[in-house]
Amino acid sequence: MVNFEFSAPGRILFGSGRSREAATEIVGWGNRIFLVTGADPTRAKPLREALLERGAQLTEISLSREPHVEDLLSGVAAARCAKAHSVVALGGGSVVDLGKAIAALAPYESDPLDHLEVVGKGLPLPGPGLPCAAVPTTAGTGAEATRNSVISTGTVKVSLRGPQLMPRLAVVDPSYALGSPRDLTAWTGMDALTQLVEPLLSRFANPLTDALCRQGILLSVRALPVALRDPNDLEARSDLALASLFSGLALANSKLGSVHGLAAPLGGMFPCPHGAVCARLLVPAWKVNCAALGRAQSSVRERFLDASRLLSGRQDATLEDGLRVLERMATAAAAPPLSRWGMTESDIPAVREAGLRASSMKGNPVDLSAEEVDLILREAL
């Protein structure tokens, strides 16, 4: 018998144009709405107009970088000052993470730092938080369906965690990603693919996450090359948005692996886009994990073969067939080597030690040695 639990947003709206439809539900939570947007607040125009038409009173902030602790502190203070009834986060994964964190902390007087890992006390969140609507504009992080928010201190990335971080409403509208720059499409797409491959291989996988990952991998492999050729292909964008949503649901319920275990410290130590790092690490991590399968149970090897069949579309696929597909997709993503972001050989020990302690590393299907982690980093360098 398999025992597991599964968390998801309270409601999911998926499809082109659904963000305007969500306005009625959001205003129903109360008319004082705290809106978090990205570097270009005009992208929120359709939803903003729909909210205003329904009598909303908006307080807005925008975020043009990954969220730092000071962004969280100022955002929580602004939401408290506005006496917000709810938070709406419309933007990429960083915007969604910040919006979720503000919603979780705004109703309470506690210091936000009390609840952050590593740099704070890591205390449990004090209560249910404000209702939050997450409206992603990229297809990569799946943050609209996860129970954590990643916050940077400038030197390390830390998480705010808890079931309160799961949005009450996730609105996945693929039209927001139409025309996105190639690098953004490639790197977020590879992030989503990684978040589908790793939970499928995870030692915490369960039947529901398996189903999501299997379908999501098929969608990613099919749609990402199309979106890279034609950034305005709505069908491809829809497939990528669905794959990203599936990846968020999967990672929230079965953990990740060595790629994300290493991506976390790398993102804190160097100015590197998370998706670009995942795209660079995925191939060497696959190689090292496959080489270590000799000391794993046979069921772990079968999971890798399952992933290879999904990636390649061949029922007789080998581990090498899966690797070739990942290599092809990583090449198409054109993610720079880690040295492009300032990492050198001398940084490997520090990244490795932080990676081995990372929460995501606990889901890796094989316990990796320090030497094996070094191999991953050295190839990605």
Side-chain angles (χ1 to χ4, degrees), residues 156-239:
V156 63
K157 287 185 178 181
V158 297
S159 282
L160 191 69
R161 297 183 191 275
Q164 300 93 327
L165 274 298
M166 187 68 77
R168 182 178 294 190
L169 175 66
V171 186
V172 184
D173 184 341
S175 65
Y176 277 116
L178 290 173
S180 293
R182 190 184 193 282
D183 282 351
L184 180 64
T185 299
W187 298 347
T188 55
M190 289 298 290
D191 184 16
L193 179 61
T194 305
Q195 292 174 176
L196 293 161
V197 171
E198 287 197 307
L200 182 65
L201 304 175
S202 169
R203 63 183 70 194
F204 297 101
N206 66 63
L208 270 177
T209 58
D210 285 351
L212 291 164
C213 291
R214 287 176 176 130
Q215 181 63 26
I217 289 171
L218 295 175
L219 292 168
S220 289
V221 172
R222 178 178 72 200
L224 186 54
V226 177
L228 292 177
R229 290 194 301 269
D230 180 2
N232 291 301
D233 188 307
L234 183 58
E235 182 178 354
R237 293 293 182 184
S238 296
D239 284 350

Side-chain angles (χ1 to χ4, degrees), residues 26-27 29-36 56-61 75-88 99 102-108 129-132:
I26 294 168
V27 174
W29 301 337
N31 68 335
R32 292 194 299 271
I33 297 168
F34 193 77
L35 177 61
V36 185
Q57 299 174 21
L58 298 181
T59 300
E60 298 189 35
I61 63 169
V76 168
R80 288 171 176 169
C81 183
K83 295 182 171 57
H85 292 132
S86 66
V87 176
V88 177
I102 291 171
L105 294 168
Y108 306 102
L130 297 175
C132 180

Side-chain angles (χ1 to χ4, degrees), residues 6 64 92 115 143 162 168 174 221 287 316 331 335 338 358:
F6 192 87
S64 58
H115 307 286
R168 182 178 294 190
V221 172
K287 291 179 181 177
D316 61 346
T331 298
L338 299 182

Side-chain angles (χ1 to χ4, degrees), residues 35-60:
L35 177 61
V36 185
T37 67
D40 181 8
T42 63
R43 300 193 71 190
K45 182 179 178 181
L47 180 56
R48 183 187 293 111
E49 290 179 345
L51 291 169
L52 291 172
E53 288 168 4
R54 289 157 177 79
Q57 299 174 21
L58 298 181
T59 300
E60 298 189 35

